[in-house]
Amino acid sequence: MGAKTELFHAVPAEVRPYLTELVRRTRAVCGPRLTGVVAVGSLALGDYRHGRSDIDVTVVVEGPPSAAALRELADALDHRRLPCPAAGLELVVYAADFARVPSGEAGYLLDLNTGAQLPGRAAFDTAGAPSFWYVIDRSVAHQDGIALYGPPASEVIAAPRPTDLYTAIRASVREHGDGEGHLADNRVLNGCRSVVYCRTGRWFAKRDAAGQVAAAEEDFRPLIEAAVRSFERPRAAALSLPGPQVRAFLAWVRARVDENAAAVGA
């Protein structure tokens, strides 16, 4: 079918049928314009938790396609028409010419959120949208994205420039520091991931990053271990973490990120 069957085995069995159908529908709408479909996020980093994680997908198209085609794709992948077996689908469509060039912009043609545990959203305009989520996702995609259709992810999605990436990481840490709309365990684990990226120059799965930070930072170990335990539960059963400790940890994370950002001029 054009999708890389052997690479589908790199994603959990629970989501393979869904991703197969997602690729089929995306091909049906985009036709020859479709360059690639890439699994990113927790699927790419090997830390997908069924019932907790989202399915994150990046689509790259030549074009750009018409507004009508983008709306048709959003409709075809809507949870009401294609039920998502995960917490939700977060799918982003980029023009191939944009995706191949390093950028600090959001740059999407379509940003679709749909699923049982996600507020529905289909955005076709980046005006006013924060860019950091997209920059970080493209960095993860370039490093470890799983090509479900088309060439290897690193050939169709460029790595952001260090200055742009560190600017995005700093914005992410500020967002999680504020806490609004985010589970406490995700705030802590994303903080761990940011610190480990600063130390290694690579993205790690949340639990792997948490293990590295907990081993090195004894004062934060109980909080991080509690965050991991919470992350292993369904979203609705997430544990309550002590707010002052979460804020203190994220302030420490922010200081580490700021040091590294300054070193690259971000």
Side-chain angles (χ1 to χ4, degrees), residues 25-85:
R25 293 187 183 206
T26 303
R27 291 186 70 192
V29 173
C30 298
R33 291 184 182 274
L34 184 61
T35 299
V37 180
V38 179
V40 297
S42 59
L43 288 173
L45 294 172
D47 201 29
Y48 174 83
R49 302 258 333 145
H50 200 56
R52 158 55 80 107
S53 301
D54 299 321
I55 289 175
D56 297 282
V57 174
T58 296
V59 174
V60 180
V61 292
E62 297 289 350
S66 67
L70 291 169
R71 291 188 183 279
E72 182 183 354
L73 181 61
D75 288 343
L77 301 180
D78 187 284
H79 180 66
R80 293 167 293 184
R81 293 177 173 83
L82 178 62
C84 180

Side-chain angles (χ1 to χ4, degrees), residues 17-165:
Y18 175 78
L19 289 172
T20 299
E21 180 61 13
L22 182 149
V23 170
R24 189 194 70 77
R25 293 187 183 206
T26 303
R27 291 186 70 192
V29 173
C30 298
R33 291 184 182 274
L34 184 61
T35 299
V37 180
V38 179
V40 297
S42 59
L43 288 173
L45 294 172
D47 201 29
Y48 174 83
R49 302 258 333 145
H50 200 56
R52 158 55 80 107
S53 301
D54 299 321
I55 289 175
D56 297 282
V57 174
T58 296
V59 174
V60 180
V61 292
E62 297 289 350
S66 67
L70 291 169
R71 291 188 183 279
E72 182 183 354
L73 181 61
D75 288 343
L77 301 180
D78 187 284
H79 180 66
R80 293 167 293 184
R81 293 177 173 83
L82 178 62
C84 180
L89 169 69
E90 296 187 351
L91 179 135
V92 180
V93 179
Y94 296 109
D97 287 349
F98 173 85
R100 292 190 187 106
V101 177
S103 174
E105 303 299 318
Y108 58 77
L109 302 174
L110 167 63
D111 181 19
L112 175 67
N113 285 0
T114 187
Q117 298 182 52
L118 282 186
R121 175 177 184 266
F124 304 89
D125 185 348
T126 62
S131 62
F132 63 88
W133 297 120
Y134 309 96
V135 176
I136 292 172
D137 280 351
R138 292 196 299 269
S139 179
V140 172
H142 181 83
Q143 175 188 294
D144 281 324
I146 299 171
L148 304 176
Y149 175 85
S154 60
E155 294 181 13
V156 296
I157 303 173
R161 290 177 290 265
T163 51
D164 289 332
L165 182 55

